[in-house]
Amino acid sequence: EAQVTQNPRYLITVTGKKLTVTCSQNMNHEYMSWYRQDPGLGLRQIYYSMNVEVTDKGDVPEGYKVSRKEKRNFPLILESPSPNQTSLYFCASSFSQDRAKAFFGQGTRLTVV
Amino acid sequence: GIQVEQSPPDLILQEGANSTLRCNFSDSVNNLQWFHQNPWGQLINLFYIPSGTKQNGRLSATTVATERYSLLYISSSQTTDSGVYFCAVGSLRNTDKLIFGTGTRLQVFP
């Protein structure tokens, strides 16, 4: 089954404790991206990756890092989480020729206290 | 950058009613997509529709790219249609980014 898998689904952590949210897709998609969803703001892009070892900033990259060492994986790293990073996070993937047909993961609800 | 506005922000319907959701965008786009976010938070692709009209069951969408708007029609609404509907666009100037509107929250009551 074609899917984008995020882990964990829910996470409560403390300020400053490094964490990683994993994202994996099984569709051989080149393009992957991370979004955060906040009330009243819709989804905003954090980082995206055109292919292995190619990443770039989206609209709200501050406080986040990503890596793309393998085509299927695109982890989101919060080196020193802060309460303003409490949000619902989505990973998405698609083929580069047809980026509109994106597949989304189930979401990760992160709370930083 | 490109702005995406959706209306109405909230919509309450009784089962069986029809509705129209609107998405306006401020610049030329090379793609436009409608999503449904169900009450459990999952995002589901509904349509990829940079121009023209498409239908899928009770849902249909029309995009008039020259006038920079898209419409999502829901006919004979059901309680399972409840959730948030997002419009997202990809700008001609920056094809690498999908920009989302703030959504229309739909509640359908039996």
Side-chain angles (χ1 to χ4, degrees), chain B residues 6-8 10-22 34-37 46-47 54-62 70-86 104-108:
Chain B
Q6 291 185 243
S7 59
D10 295 281
L11 192 54
I12 300 174
L13 299 174
Q14 193 158 26
E15 220 169 14
N18 302 329
S19 61
T20 301
L21 283 59
R22 187 177 180 103
W34 285 95
F35 293 86
H36 175 222
Q37 187 172 38
L46 296 176
F47 294 104
K54 288 187 179 179
Q55 180 156 8
N56 184 3
R58 295 181 297 103
L59 274 60
S60 64
T62 295
S70 182
L71 302 174
L72 177 69
Y73 305 98
I74 305 174
S75 64
S76 303
S77 57
Q78 301 175 357
T79 56
T80 52
D81 295 330
S82 296
V84 183
Y85 290 80
F86 288 102
T104 292
R105 181 175 298 277
L106 174 65
Q107 298 179 69
V108 182

Side-chain angles (χ1 to χ4, degrees), chain A residues 9 31 35 37 40-43 45 48 50 57-59 88 90 98-106, chain B residues 30-33 35 37 40-43 45 48 54 84 86 94-103:
Chain A
R9 295 286 310 280
Y31 186 84
Y35 297 86
Q37 183 179 12
L41 296 177
L43 278 80
Q45 192 179 52
Y48 64 94
M50 301 283 288
K57 297 177 181 178
D59 289 320
L88 178 59
F90 287 98
D98 198 358
R99 275 195 291 281
K101 294 183 181 178
F103 289 76
F104 280 78
Q106 306 101 313
Chain B
N30 70 342
N31 69 63
L32 185 144
Q33 191 168 16
F35 293 86
Q37 187 172 38
W40 296 270
Q42 189 175 6
L43 279 164
N45 295 324
Y48 166 57
K54 288 187 179 179
V84 183
F86 288 102
N94 186 350
T95 59
D96 296 330
K97 185 181 293 186
L98 203 59
I99 300 164
F100 282 75
T102 53

Side-chain angles (χ1 to χ4, degrees), chain A residues 25-45:
Chain A
Q25 50 92 6
N26 62 0
M27 295 166 279
N28 203 35
H29 287 162
E30 298 94 358
Y31 186 84
M32 297 184 75
S33 60
W34 277 102
Y35 297 86
R36 61 178 288 174
Q37 183 179 12
D38 301 291
L41 296 177
L43 278 80
R44 294 177 293 167
Q45 192 179 52

Side-chain angles (χ1 to χ4, degrees), chain A:
Chain A
E1 180 189 352
Q3 59 185 2
V4 179
T5 303
Q6 293 179 228
N7 278 298
R9 295 286 310 280
Y10 303 92
L11 179 61
I12 301 174
T13 190
V14 296
T15 299
K17 184 177 181 183
K18 180 179 179 179
L19 67 92
T20 299
V21 184
T22 63
C23 173
S24 180
Q25 50 92 6
N26 62 0
M27 295 166 279
N28 203 35
H29 287 162
E30 298 94 358
Y31 186 84
M32 297 184 75
S33 60
W34 277 102
Y35 297 86
R36 61 178 288 174
Q37 183 179 12
D38 301 291
L41 296 177
L43 278 80
R44 294 177 293 167
Q45 192 179 52
I46 303 170
Y47 269 95
Y48 64 94
S49 169
M50 301 283 288
N51 213 322
V52 176
E53 302 291 2
V54 181
T55 63
D56 208 346
K57 297 177 181 178
D59 289 320
V60 287
E62 294 78 19
Y64 305 94
K65 285 174 59 176
V66 293
S67 68
R68 188 90 182 273
K69 295 188 174 70
E70 304 165 287
K71 198 171 188 179
R72 63 182 292 125
N73 295 323
F74 190 45
L76 179 70
I77 303 156
L78 285 73
E79 294 269 4
S80 182
S82 62
N84 64 13
Q85 292 178 298
T86 292
S87 187
L88 178 59
Y89 291 86
F90 287 98
C91 178
S93 75
S94 62
F95 289 114
S96 290
Q97 292 85 355
D98 198 358
R99 275 195 291 281
K101 294 183 181 178
F103 289 76
F104 280 78
Q106 306 101 313
T108 295
R109 188 167 293 280
L110 172 66
T111 302
V112 183
V113 298

